[in-house]
Amino acid sequence: MINEEEINKLTKEALRSNLDSLGRIINFLGKYENSPIAKFGIYSIIFQYVFNTHEETGKLCRQCGGKCCKVGYPVPVYNFDYNEMKKHLQLKLQKQGDIYLLPRPCPFQKDWMCTIHQFKPYACLSYPFATEDEQMNTIKEYNGKGLPNFHVPEYCLSGKMVIEYMKEVYTNLKNKLNRDPSPKELYEEIKRIFSNK
Ligand code: SF4
Ligand code: SF4
């Protein structure tokens, strides 16, 4: 059984493009795959892995100008993020309850880029697919059949590209299998594609 600290660590590793950690998280969540929420969780982390790993996103984020780091509510920084960040930075963040807050516009953004990419918080690694606020309506609407209907802001060029890319991967796999692929089969397909890049 994986404890909460290990899940947080594995999830951050997965979102930093580690396929093995992604596989371990999916195996763990796969036990609950009959629940639409767990299935949604698996798809959201696969989409986010692709978002964080796909070679096109850097170019599109540059074109967008880094809007997600400029606008919106403050970014939550959990204790496990804070402990990692403070090894590298002198941090003075406001706290609300148990959570630290990073203001937006973010002081760590330079031009369109993140200057703390190697140790940015979980919420930044999870944007936009594994971020609950961004996908709240998608979770509510999802009935566990096929891919969730992920929504991203109109200005998020990278998010829109990933949605189209994943629909194509899913449809090709569905045609090959002659049925809807399971989330684990989608992960295996993504692993095959991204291991060969
Ligand atoms: S809003 Fe989307 S496209 Fe723009 S920088 Fe953020 S992730 Fe990239
Ligand atoms: S930490 Fe980096 S990714 Fe997160 S909001 Fe700030 S600049 Fe953006």
Side-chain angles (χ1 to χ4, degrees):
M1 189 70 183
I2 313 181
N3 65 32
E4 195 183 327
E5 195 184 329
E6 284 169 320
I7 289 182
N8 293 335
K9 188 167 168 278
L10 272 180
T11 307
K12 281 187 95 168
E13 279 172 14
L15 296 179
R16 287 184 176 128
S17 305
N18 184 321
L19 273 168
D20 290 334
S21 299
L22 180 63
R24 288 184 65 193
I25 288 286
I26 288 170
N27 271 339
F28 173 73
L29 289 173
K31 287 183 262 178
Y32 311 102
E33 197 180 298
N34 289 334
S35 134
I37 289 261
K39 207 166 171 185
F40 172 88
I42 299 175
Y43 282 130
S44 69
I45 198 169
I46 296 175
F47 271 59
Q48 193 64 44
Y49 168 87
V50 171
F51 182 97
N52 293 359
T53 312
H54 198 291
E55 61 206 5
E56 286 291 304
T57 47
K59 207 162 56 185
L60 293 170
C61 290
R62 179 196 293 257
Q63 201 178 319
C64 151
K67 286 194 184 67
C68 55
C69 306
K70 292 185 168 79
V71 293
Y73 295 118
V75 176
V77 175
Y78 302 104
N79 277 318
F80 58 89
D81 291 317
Y82 189 81
N83 291 339
E84 188 184 10
M85 289 164 79
K86 76 175 185 203
K87 285 186 203 153
H88 304 275
L89 301 163
Q90 291 269 333
L91 272 188
K92 274 194 199 130
L93 296 179
Q94 264 192 345
K95 205 168 184 188
Q96 199 173 78
D98 285 344
I99 296 173
Y100 295 90
L101 296 174
L102 193 53
R104 280 191 275 187
C106 178
F108 298 119
Q109 189 183 41
K110 185 153 190 271
D111 302 326
W112 66 276
M113 284 202 287
C114 177
T115 57
I116 58 164
H117 185 64
Q118 302 308 319
F119 43 93
K120 61 168 87 161
Y122 171 77
C124 302
L125 286 168
S126 317
Y127 181 86
F129 296 107
T131 309
E132 214 166 275
D133 283 356
E134 293 298 325
Q135 301 301 341
M136 201 52 98
N137 285 336
T138 314
I139 299 175
K140 282 188 207 146
E141 289 162 9
Y142 185 56
N143 62 5
K145 296 206 170 83
L147 289 179
N149 188 19
F150 287 108
H151 294 282
V152 296
E154 194 46 40
Y155 54 74
C156 186
L157 306 177
S158 293
K160 290 201 281 191
M161 180 277 290
V162 168
I163 289 174
E164 291 314 309
Y165 177 84
M166 289 303 291
K167 279 184 187 164
E168 195 181 326
V169 171
Y170 186 87
T171 305
N172 289 344
L173 187 57
K174 182 173 172 164
N175 290 341
K176 197 159 93 185
L177 298 172
N178 229 358
R179 59 173 169 76
D180 279 335
S182 69
K184 203 159 176 201
E185 285 168 331
L186 184 63
Y187 161 70
E188 291 297 338
E189 184 65 1
I190 289 298
K191 185 174 175 180
R192 189 187 65 72
I193 296 170
F194 281 79
S195 300
N196 293 331
K197 279 191 185 250

